[in-house]
Amino acid sequence: LLSPGTARADDTPSSWRITRYDASAVFAQDGTAEVTLDFDFFFGSDEGHGPFITLPERQRVTGNPDVWRMIDVTIGEVSSGTGAATDTLVSHSDGNLVVRVGHEHMTWTGSQNYRITYKIRGLVDPDNRESGLDEVNWQAIGPGWQVPIDHAKVTIEGPGTPERVACWWGSSNENPCQAVQDGKKAVFEAGNLRPGR
């Protein structure tokens, strides 16, 4: 998996965590994906303004370290099922798109829901050098988040039926995670993800 994001927060009290992290991407024939990121951020009793996600805008091409694939991201709707502030500030930093959600004069406790949609192009590696297949390489959570994630689920749906599915987690992608194919969909799940892993 490779590039949607990294749910994080401005400060990281030990009580903060993401209890549910669901990311889904629906791919069109041209390789563009419509992504929905829906997650529950638990602030506990330690107030927080809101999370931010980091979306890579480039990635190295497998087997060719001198070539980078550019990733184009367009942020869509940002909402909250629990009524948390969803003011959105988008910036660029070190080859990443940073999306901050929340209001500087409002804080929240307990569990707050956030839903972010965006369109992304550049996740498909056509005719991959090693496999010879068109591959979707998506780091759906990323190594930069600063709070634990209790359960993560990623769903990918394409215009065709995938030939193979695989998933790993960890700082070096050393741990396999559950991967299930269901028709044109592939579902990946992992739990107890520690910060930065």
Side-chain angles (χ1 to χ4, degrees):
L1 298 182
L2 191 137
S3 155
T6 301
R8 304 196 290 186
D10 294 333
D11 299 304
T12 53
S14 61
S15 64
W16 289 7
R17 63 194 314 105
I18 295 169
T19 56
R20 180 186 61 86
Y21 184 100
D22 287 350
S24 64
V26 179
F27 283 82
Q29 192 70 41
D30 67 357
T32 301
E34 298 281 352
V35 177
T36 300
L37 175 59
D38 191 323
F39 62 95
D40 297 327
F41 197 113
F42 182 71
F43 293 98
S45 58
D46 296 306
E47 296 180 347
H49 296 285
F52 65 90
I53 63 169
T54 302
L55 307 174
E57 296 184 292
R58 63 183 184 179
Q59 71 182 60
R60 289 189 184 276
V61 173
T62 303
N64 196 343
D66 296 326
V67 177
W68 290 79
R69 177 174 297 104
M70 304 311 291
I71 299 171
D72 181 45
V73 180
T74 303
I75 301 299
E77 182 182 2
V78 179
S79 60
S80 170
T82 53
T86 56
D87 302 58
T88 305
L89 177 64
V90 179
S91 61
H92 301 268
S93 176
D94 298 325
N96 297 299
L97 187 71
V98 181
V99 183
R100 295 179 180 274
V101 179
H103 193 288
E104 63 178 331
H105 300 302
M106 301 176 73
T107 57
W108 309 93
T109 57
S111 184
Q112 301 297 330
N113 169 259
Y114 296 93
R115 188 174 188 270
I116 301 168
T117 63
Y118 57 92
K119 182 178 289 188
I120 189 165
R121 180 190 295 273
L123 296 183
V124 178
D125 181 6
D127 195 23
N128 178 271
R129 239 179 176 182
E130 295 179 8
S131 69
L133 302 172
D134 294 342
E135 291 189 0
V136 173
N137 294 303
W138 187 20
Q139 190 174 358
I141 299 173
W145 38 280
Q146 300 171 340
V147 299
I149 296 178
D150 293 342
H151 183 262
K153 179 180 178 181
V154 176
T155 303
I156 296 177
E157 182 174 358
T161 302
E163 293 190 28
R164 284 183 250 168
V165 296
C167 171
W168 293 271
W169 66 272
S171 56
S172 302
N173 291 326
E174 69 272 20
N175 304 300
C177 48
Q178 181 179 335
V180 177
Q181 180 185 334
D182 181 12
K184 294 182 179 181
K185 288 185 180 181
V187 180
F188 309 92
E189 296 187 67
N192 300 315
L193 304 180
R194 298 181 299 279
R197 295 272 309 167

